């Protein structure tokens, strides 16, 4: 089973991604996490990724595709995965031909997203007000078209991300049962 979780920053993708990973017994993978690990490296690539992320910008599509393909080629991802943070642009979605089964869209308003990110327990280096606003702006500009791309392909499941963690988990579970 190959699943994508998509939604605005602060929508709860990693919370639900990890819960779903336990339920289905397939690994959860987030491109944000991968990039944060690379950003720690004292290499030219590490420094470049760190600066790009801290400014709230996206890593270029070709670099992102290269890194994601390398990860997904690893043995632990051969039975499937839950992918968070990718594809984030239509170019990434079009280039990514991995036989995705479902795309779960966690729908949360900008207001709720901003509130959650400002009070996130674990503060990240890119969680400045300017950085968060930039990421939300880029979500509308680049990632909403990706949601429409998968809707047209009939793969999209829309879930209300403003409910409780348990209710959202159940909605995701039910939507996967229905389409199984
Ligand atoms: P958030 O969902 O809060 O924006 P993520 O952890 O998903 O945080 O991503 C953090 C940063 O990593 C992004 O702002 C961007 O710079 C980079 N990034 C993650 N995924 C992608 C992607 N698919 N394409 C380009 N850049 C990405």
């Amino acid at each position: 089973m190959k699943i994508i979780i998509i939604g605005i920053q602060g929508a709860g993708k990693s919370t639900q991604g990890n819960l779903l990973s336990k339920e289905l017994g397939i690994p959860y993978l987030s491109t944000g996490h991968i990039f944060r690990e690379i950003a720690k490296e004292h290499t030219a690539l590490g420094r470049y990724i760190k600066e790009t992320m801290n400014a709230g910008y996206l890593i270029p599509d070709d670099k992102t595709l290269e890194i994601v393909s390398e990860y997904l080629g690893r043995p632990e991802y051969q039975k499937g995965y839950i992918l968070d943070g990718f594809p984030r642009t239509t170019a990434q979605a079009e280039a990514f031909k991995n036989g995705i089964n479902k795309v779960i869209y966690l729908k949360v308003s900008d207001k709720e997203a901003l509130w959650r990110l400002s009070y996130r327990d674990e503060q990240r280096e890119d969680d400045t007000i300017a950085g968060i606003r930039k990421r939300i702006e880029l979500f509308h500009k680049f990632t909403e078209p990706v949601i429409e791309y998968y809707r047209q392909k009939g793969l999209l499941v829309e879930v209300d991300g403003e409910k409780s963690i348990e209710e959202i988990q159940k909605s995701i579970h039910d939507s996967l049962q229905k389409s199984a």
Side-chain angles (χ1 to χ4, degrees), residues 57-75:
Y57 287 104
L58 294 177
I59 311 300
D61 288 332
D62 53 352
K63 217 5 83 233
T64 301
L65 278 157
E66 190 187 312
I67 294 170
V68 172
S69 306
E70 192 273 307
Y71 265 80
L72 294 181
R74 295 182 182 180

Side-chain angles (χ1 to χ4, degrees), residues 9 26 29 39 42 69 123 144 162:
Q9 292 51 41
I26 50 175
L29 183 67
H42 296 279
S69 306
Q123 282 291 315
E144 265 170 4
E162 297 200 17

